[in-house]
Amino acid sequence: MKRIVKVIVVMLVFVGIQKSEAQKKKNIVFLFADDAGYHDFGFQGSKTFKTPNLDKLASEGMVFKEAYTTAAVCGPSRAGLLTGRYQQRFGFEENNVPGYMSDSSKLLGDDMGLPLKEKTIANYLGNLGYQSIVLGKWHMGNADRYHPLKRGFTEFYGFRGGARSFFPLTQKQTADKPEDRLEKGYKYYKEPSKYLTYDIADEACDFIDRNKKKPFFMYVSFNAVHSPMQATPEDLAKIKGLTGKRKILAAMTLALDKACGQILKKLKEEGLEDDTLIVFSNDNGGPDGTHTCNYPLSGCKSNNLEGGIRVPFIMKLPSVIKPGSKYEKDISLLDLLPTFVNIAGGDASKIKNIDGVDLLPFITNKNKKAPHEILFWKKENRGIVKKGDWKLLRFPDRPAELYNIKEDESENNNLAYQYPEKLKELFTDLFTWEGELERPLFMLKRKYEVNAMKRMDDKRTPVLDVVE
């Protein structure tokens, strides 16, 4: 009898240790905006767009000045951050939007998606005992085989496509575009009774409530502030001094900020704030400059000037990251996967073939070097490399351009003819990297690629909103 009691005591102690270890694991909350302008947040300098909750998060954590996404459009940038690998390594080079693709593409329609051989952040965190959820926009493939629940996530509340209405859809709309329908798990779900940005926040808080005693990962993939341009009357009424698209966008941004604030408040109420790594960022630059503002950067979504690929980025981790601090060396959204894996108690150094790095040693000054000596981008025949302060842009139809981003972040002074040796060096780096890549699985029709280049030419001069 005594032996049985002793065994039971040992088992209880072991279970207690396991629970204690689980409680020590940091929760991870990734708040991800869609198509926001680089300047369109208070912590980024905007005077007209009100974002008090994100501004507070910035004051409590670290703001990164040179954070880069892996692509200037939504789908590929998500493929890169979810895998920690340059998406060109597995052929996800262009947006997987049916109807925009060339007939010569390997994959078309719903078959365009994140290749099944690629592991996601959720796969690695699941192996470390984490519950995980995607909330909102998926955009990694509409076919069932690409579904979040088959890519390591334990829960999904959102839609499979790349954009949809912020208000309830009709039956005809969901029949015409099934990828726009809301799902809970694998099941189609009722349309929300409220504005979708607020609905996503409610579901996020519900997930926290159900998983507060377990380590969890939340990928809160808002479709705000992507088109369609829709805001609630209540939020519009709060926007003063703006008109037209800028007013609507400001109201959409206000809703995004309130939704983030609701999630942050829930973490605090549940006593989870000190044990949670929180990251806020955006998938690519603001679209076309008619309503978003990427100041002081030139360019916009779909091109690889700074305004298309540099994004707002905040990271908060109490007792680790100094409140109100800034980081000015290059980082990439590729770095999310290894950073999350290591903070979860894993060892990202054992993961083969990833391109990201764990940011924590760099931002806590344990490693004095820059996280990345060199970064690359590629979209069809366009290629970009940033090495230290230097950035090369290669085009199929015009001479290459060379900029010193530290001295000229607006990319107004092309130095290609003044520094031919630097140009040659970066071309060599780019060619070497491209030799490691796979052919694209799907490519844009030529007319859309031409349109993207035209937008780059039209948005060369950074414009600060006239009200500011």
Side-chain angles (χ1 to χ4, degrees), residues 320-335:
V320 176
I321 295 175
K322 183 180 177 181
S325 55
K326 298 185 184 300
Y327 193 76
E328 299 193 0
K329 296 177 182 177
D330 291 356
I331 70 158
S332 169
L333 294 194
L334 295 169
D335 302 329

Side-chain angles (χ1 to χ4, degrees), residues 127-342:
N127 292 336
L128 295 169
Y130 276 65
Q131 299 295 303
S132 58
I133 187 170
V134 179
L135 293 138
K137 174 174 173 174
W138 178 232
H139 206 17
M140 289 292 95
N142 297 336
D144 286 347
R145 65 182 180 276
Y146 300 127
H147 195 277
L149 298 192
K150 292 188 177 181
R151 310 313 300 268
F153 289 91
T154 52
E155 295 189 32
F156 174 51
Y157 178 78
F159 57 98
R160 300 189 193 190
R164 58 150 284 160
S165 171
F166 290 83
F167 296 109
L169 297 174
T170 65
Q171 286 188 337
K172 184 179 185 308
Q173 287 173 318
T174 56
D176 291 343
K177 291 188 68 179
E179 68 269 23
D180 288 356
R181 291 187 283 194
L182 281 180
E183 296 182 39
K184 207 165 201 176
Y186 277 112
K187 297 180 180 179
Y188 292 127
Y189 198 62
K190 62 184 179 182
E191 284 295 299
S193 59
K194 59 171 63 176
Y195 189 68
L196 186 55
T197 302
Y198 295 134
D199 183 55
I200 289 171
D202 286 348
E203 292 291 333
C205 291
D206 177 67
F207 177 83
I208 293 171
D209 195 52
R210 291 184 287 105
N211 292 278
K212 57 192 173 187
K213 294 184 179 180
K214 314 167 191 173
F216 59 78
F217 166 50
M218 294 173 55
Y219 173 32
V220 191
S221 179
F222 291 105
N223 57 318
V225 291
H226 195 292
S227 60
M229 302 292 291
Q230 297 172 336
T232 67
E234 296 79 10
D235 287 334
L236 281 168
K238 295 175 183 176
I239 305 302
K240 309 298 180 184
L242 295 174
T243 59
K245 289 183 177 180
R246 281 294 278 173
K247 180 172 183 174
I248 298 172
L249 183 69
M252 295 173 74
T253 305
L254 179 65
L256 170 68
D257 181 76
K258 287 196 289 185
C260 290
Q262 181 181 338
I263 295 168
L264 297 173
K265 181 181 178 182
K266 178 66 174 178
L267 291 170
K268 188 171 185 177
E269 289 175 345
E270 298 296 342
L272 301 173
E273 183 180 24
D274 290 342
D275 292 315
T276 302
L277 170 66
I278 301 168
V279 175
F280 171 80
S281 194
N282 184 48
D283 62 346
N284 47 249
D288 61 7
T290 61
H291 56 285
T292 55
C293 180
N294 293 325
Y295 187 85
L297 311 176
S298 60
C300 60
K301 178 181 179 178
S302 85
N303 65 71
N304 294 103
L305 295 170
E306 292 291 285
I309 56 176
R310 199 194 297 188
V311 291
F313 193 99
I314 304 169
M315 183 178 285
K316 175 187 174 182
L317 184 59
S319 302
V320 176
I321 295 175
K322 183 180 177 181
S325 55
K326 298 185 184 300
Y327 193 76
E328 299 193 0
K329 296 177 182 177
D330 291 356
I331 70 158
S332 169
L333 294 194
L334 295 169
D335 302 329
L336 293 178
L337 186 148
T339 303
F340 291 175
V341 167
N342 283 357

Side-chain angles (χ1 to χ4, degrees), residues 67-95:
Y68 288 95
T69 185
T70 63
V73 290
C74 310
S77 69
R78 285 168 165 75
L81 74 88
L82 282 169
T83 61
R85 284 162 44 81
Y86 283 113
Q87 63 275 4
Q88 295 91 346
R89 294 195 187 281
F90 46 85
F92 200 132
E93 191 169 300
E94 184 49 83
N95 256 339

Side-chain angles (χ1 to χ4, degrees), residues 3 40 44 53 71 132 134 245 257 261 274 340 355 368 391 418:
R3 185 176 180 183
D40 287 335
Q44 290 289 95
N53 294 294
S132 58
V134 179
K245 289 183 177 180
D257 181 76
D274 290 342
F340 291 175
D355 297 296
K368 302 292 185 180
K391 179 180 175 184
Q418 296 180 40

